Each structure stands twice: as structure tokens, then as C-alpha cells.
Amino acid sequence: MQFGIFSVSDITTDPTTGQTPTEAERIKNIVTIAKHAEEVGLDVFALGEHHNEPFFSSSPTTTLAYIAAQTDKLLLSTATTLITTNDPVKIAEDFAMLQHLSGGRVDLMMGRGNTGPVYPWFGKDIRAGIPLAIENYALLHKLWREHVVDWQGKFRTPLQSFTSTPRPLDDVPPFVWHGSIRSPEIAEQAAFYGDGFFANHIFWPKEHTQRMVGLYRERFAHYGHGDPDQAIVGLGGQVFMRRNSQDAVNEFRPYFDNAPVYGHGPSLEEFTSQTPLTVGSPQQVIDRTLGFRDYVGDYQRQLFLLDHAGLPVKTVLEQLDLLGEEVIPVLRKEFDSMKPAHVPDAPTHASLLAARQEANA
């Protein structure tokens, strides 16, 4: 099982000090965080994409390439890549280039994006979000698998005899996850292609995630990719830890109460009881995370959100230390011991290349 962290790249005032990091500080810090994730033994670092304040990550592949040059094993991903407002041709080119620069240590998570004003900035209509996601991904899928592409669609100019360059590394496209908070159409899309499905798993109760993952598994099998429990599932999650659980609650509360997304709403206690957010000791995080399997089944990737709501980089690095030293080794051992032999691991460039070579032998 793969474990890692993801960042939405928010620039938020620290409510305990009143200080707001500059864009330059936040960008520098995200590189430090990613490098430390590898140092403590995590597998994946994923970075979101936004084109509006208060976020900095408008060009994830640029940042991920810089991180790739300073790491050796860390798998680099996105959380998310906007399939609706980006040109599929540019996505194909950018991520193939990142494949080459990172030696294949890359996959990506498609997402529609839920910031309404961004759509018209890129000449799109948010009301066409689902059709855009479906058509644009169909083109991207084709660009990575066919050398010369002719294309006619509704949302972009036609392509005639077009070849996306560079070609995917070893002629193996990056593995794709389709991320969703609430759209069953995206679970259907992931199942149709036999791609991975990543449930946001942040804001909703477990019953919602269970339904979304269940739909994806059912349709994955329907399209002939394998049994339902062989579908490729990833989950998000939020944690804040201290060795003493009450210390964690006391320290995190002002960040929660003032967070741009969920602050000034439900109490911390209400939110932790109704969603996967876990604030407490490392053992509490272990117990809660192991419980995810009870309602989604065996899954392949678990990513945690750590650097948000104005938390200072020193605190984020301390969270990574706790994850790497006390949480992930236990989770890795326990999840591996429970996984049946027929349930696959998360695809990597190496495993996809091996499968391709075996199929062509």
C-alpha cells in the first residue's frame, strides 16, 4: 500500500500569530515538506492545482519537476489536475515530460475543480463541467496511446495528424486517478477506463465515501477490468497529532476554527465525529485509518492532508516525523497482512512497464 501526503497549496494566516507566509515562503516550504516526506519513508507527494488566491500552485508540473530533481524514490502526483479547464494536449505534453525528468516517478489525479470563476477565465462554462471532464479525458487518453491523432470534439479545435511530444516514457502513459468529492459520473469514468478512483474523503461522512467507492467497484467489474475488490482505490484524509491527544486538540483547535474551508461552522468535535478528520495521538490515527478498510474494502493509496489552515512549516515537519516514525510503519504492516493475494498493488511505472512487456512477449 502507498502512503503519502497531499497539499492544496493554500496561503493562510496563522491564527495563533497573525502572520501570513508570502508566496515565495510557501513555495519554498512545500519543497521542504516534499523532501522530508521522502526522508521519513513516505511513498507519495501530491500537489493540487489552483488559479485563484489564496493558493499558489498554478503550475504543479513545474514544482513537481523541481522536487523530482531533489528526491530519489518519492512518487510525484497531483491533487488535482484540472481536466476541465486545461487543454488535454498540454496535459499530455507536460506530464510526459515530467515522466522523463523523474524517471517514471509520476502519476496524476484528474479533477473537475469546484471554483466557479476559474471556468470563464479559461473560456469554459462550469455548467458543462461533467461533459468537459469526459471529452477532455477521452482525448488525453488517446494522445498518450496513439502516435498520430485525428480528433473532433465539442470543446476544442479539431486535431489533424497531431503527435503529442514527448511520447510517454517507455511508451507507458502515467497512471491516472480520477478524484471526486460527490460526482458519480467521475466514478463511472474511472471504472470505464480501468483507472484508479480517489475519493476525497475529507468533508463527507463515511457512508458517502462507501457509496462512491462501491459504485466505482461495481462498474469496474462491469467493464471487465477484474473483480470489484481488484479495483484501484485511493483515499484522502486529514490528521493532526501530538503524543498526548489533548495536546493535539488544544493546538489544532484555533487552526480548525479559523480555516477558510470549514472554520466558523461545526465544532472540531462535531467535525471529527462526522468526517475522517482525526485529531489526537498517533495510536488514534492508526486506529481510525485502519477502520477505513471496513467501509471501502482493501485499497491501494492513502494520502493525508497536513499543511493547511495556516499551520507553520515547523509543525508540518513534526507531523511528518510522527507519521513516518510511529504511524506509517504500523499501517503498512497491518494493511499488508489483511490484503488478499489477488488484490493488486497501486500501479507504478515499473509495474505498468512489466505488464506491457509481458503482454507483448
Side-chain angles (χ1 to χ4, degrees), residues 15 35 48 69 76 84 118 170 175 193 197 208 233 256 268 271 288-289 294 297-298 304 329 336 359:
K35 290 166 63 177
L76 305 164
T84 47
V118 173
D170 301 319
F175 184 71
Y193 288 101
F197 178 68
H208 173 78
V233 174
F256 176 88
L268 176 59
F271 203 81
R288 189 83 180 275
T289 306
D294 295 339
D298 292 289
F304 296 105
D336 287 349

Side-chain angles (χ1 to χ4, degrees), residues 16-27:
T16 67
T17 65
Q19 302 211 333
T20 305
T22 65
E23 288 180 325
E25 288 170 337
R26 192 74 171 88
I27 292 168

Side-chain angles (χ1 to χ4, degrees), residues 71-85:
T71 54
D72 298 312
K73 298 179 180 179
L74 193 66
L75 199 157
L76 305 164
S77 190
T78 57
T80 64
T81 294
L82 299 177
I83 190 62
T84 47
T85 51

Side-chain angles (χ1 to χ4, degrees), residues 47-50 57-65 78 80-81 95 98:
L47 183 60
E49 177 185 352
H50 292 276
S57 183
S58 58
S59 181
T61 53
T62 304
T63 310
L64 294 175
T78 57
T80 64
T81 294
F95 281 89
L98 182 57

Side-chain angles (χ1 to χ4, degrees), residues 338-355:
M338 293 185 287
K339 190 185 77 165
H342 70 280
V343 173
D345 293 328
T348 63
H349 183 78
S351 69
L352 293 171
L353 177 60

Side-chain angles (χ1 to χ4, degrees), residues 1 3-5 40-43 238-243 278 280-290 292 299 302-304 306 318-336:
M1 187 164 173
F3 295 94
I5 57 172
V40 301
L42 271 63
D43 307 305
Q238 298 180 86
V239 298
F240 187 86
M241 295 172 287
R242 290 301 183 200
R243 288 191 168 85
T278 306
S281 67
Q283 187 60 52
Q284 286 174 298
V285 171
I286 291 169
D287 294 341
R288 189 83 180 275
T289 306
L290 289 174
F292 297 164
Y299 65 109
Q302 175 65 58
L303 301 184
F304 296 105
L306 298 181
E318 292 167 352
Q319 296 296 300
L320 279 170
D321 287 337
L322 289 169
L323 266 184
E325 294 168 9
E326 300 190 29
V327 175
I328 300 304
V330 177
L331 290 178
R332 204 182 293 281
K333 178 181 177 181
E334 293 297 323
F335 276 121
D336 287 349

